[in-house]
Short mmCIF file of all heavy atoms in Angstrom, two decimals:
data_model
loop_
_atom_site.label_atom_id
_atom_site.label_comp_id
_atom_site.label_asym_id
_atom_site.label_seq_id
_atom_site.Cartn_x
_atom_site.Cartn_y
_atom_site.Cartn_z
N LEU A 1390 40.06 99.20 30.52
CA LEU A 1390 40.96 100.42 30.39
C LEU A 1390 40.33 101.17 29.31
O LEU A 1390 40.17 102.50 29.48
CB LEU A 1390 42.37 99.98 30.04
CG LEU A 1390 43.37 101.11 29.72
CD1 LEU A 1390 43.46 102.13 30.87
CD2 LEU A 1390 44.63 100.59 29.08
N TYR A 1391 40.16 100.72 28.16
CA TYR A 1391 39.76 101.56 27.00
C TYR A 1391 38.35 102.03 27.15
O TYR A 1391 38.02 103.15 26.74
CB TYR A 1391 39.85 100.80 25.68
CG TYR A 1391 41.24 101.04 25.08
CD1 TYR A 1391 42.27 100.07 25.44
CD2 TYR A 1391 41.65 102.12 24.50
CE1 TYR A 1391 43.56 100.13 24.96
CE2 TYR A 1391 42.85 102.29 23.92
CZ TYR A 1391 43.97 101.34 24.28
OH TYR A 1391 45.22 101.50 23.83
N THR A 1392 37.44 101.18 27.81
CA THR A 1392 35.97 101.63 28.08
C THR A 1392 36.15 102.84 29.04
O THR A 1392 35.41 103.90 28.89
CB THR A 1392 35.16 100.42 28.66
OG1 THR A 1392 35.18 99.32 27.65
CG2 THR A 1392 33.81 100.84 28.86
N ALA A 1393 36.90 102.66 30.09
CA ALA A 1393 37.04 103.75 31.05
C ALA A 1393 37.63 105.01 30.37
O ALA A 1393 37.27 106.14 30.72
CB ALA A 1393 37.97 103.31 32.12
N LEU A 1394 38.70 104.87 29.47
CA LEU A 1394 39.28 106.01 28.82
C LEU A 1394 38.17 106.95 28.07
O LEU A 1394 38.21 108.07 28.19
CB LEU A 1394 40.34 105.50 27.91
CG LEU A 1394 41.02 106.58 27.00
CD1 LEU A 1394 41.73 107.76 27.82
CD2 LEU A 1394 41.94 106.05 25.93
N VAL A 1395 37.38 106.09 27.25
CA VAL A 1395 36.35 106.84 26.53
C VAL A 1395 35.33 107.58 27.37
O VAL A 1395 34.97 108.75 27.24
CB VAL A 1395 35.63 105.84 25.66
CG1 VAL A 1395 34.33 106.47 25.04
CG2 VAL A 1395 36.54 105.35 24.56
N ARG A 1396 34.93 106.91 28.50
CA ARG A 1396 33.95 107.52 29.43
C ARG A 1396 34.54 108.69 30.10
O ARG A 1396 33.94 109.66 30.38
CB ARG A 1396 33.49 106.52 30.47
CG ARG A 1396 32.65 105.36 29.75
CD ARG A 1396 32.17 104.33 30.78
NE ARG A 1396 31.10 105.02 31.60
CZ ARG A 1396 30.95 104.75 32.89
NH1 ARG A 1396 31.83 103.95 33.55
NH2 ARG A 1396 29.93 105.41 33.59
N PHE A 1397 35.89 108.53 30.48
CA PHE A 1397 36.53 109.55 31.30
C PHE A 1397 36.66 110.82 30.52
O PHE A 1397 36.39 111.90 30.93
CB PHE A 1397 37.99 109.03 31.78
CG PHE A 1397 38.72 110.06 32.45
CD1 PHE A 1397 38.72 110.16 33.86
CD2 PHE A 1397 39.57 110.91 31.85
CE1 PHE A 1397 39.36 111.06 34.59
CE2 PHE A 1397 40.31 111.97 32.61
CZ PHE A 1397 40.18 112.00 34.03
N VAL A 1398 37.10 110.69 29.28
CA VAL A 1398 37.17 111.80 28.39
C VAL A 1398 35.92 112.51 28.13
O VAL A 1398 35.68 113.79 28.23
CB VAL A 1398 38.03 111.50 27.04
CG1 VAL A 1398 38.03 112.79 26.16
CG2 VAL A 1398 39.39 110.96 27.39
N ALA A 1399 34.92 111.79 27.84
CA ALA A 1399 33.58 112.25 27.53
C ALA A 1399 32.81 113.01 28.65
O ALA A 1399 32.48 114.20 28.49
CB ALA A 1399 32.64 111.13 27.05
N ILE A 1400 32.98 112.43 29.74
CA ILE A 1400 32.37 113.02 30.96
C ILE A 1400 33.18 114.19 31.42
O ILE A 1400 32.65 115.18 31.95
CB ILE A 1400 32.14 112.05 32.07
CG1 ILE A 1400 31.16 110.83 31.65
CG2 ILE A 1400 31.54 112.69 33.37
CD1 ILE A 1400 30.93 109.69 32.61
N GLY A 1401 34.50 114.09 31.38
CA GLY A 1401 35.34 115.10 31.58
C GLY A 1401 35.04 116.40 30.87
O GLY A 1401 35.07 117.58 31.37
#
Side-chain angles (χ1 to χ4, degrees):
L1390 170 65
Y1391 275 93
T1392 303
L1394 174 64
V1395 169
R1396 297 182 67 216
F1397 180 88
V1398 174
I1400 299 175

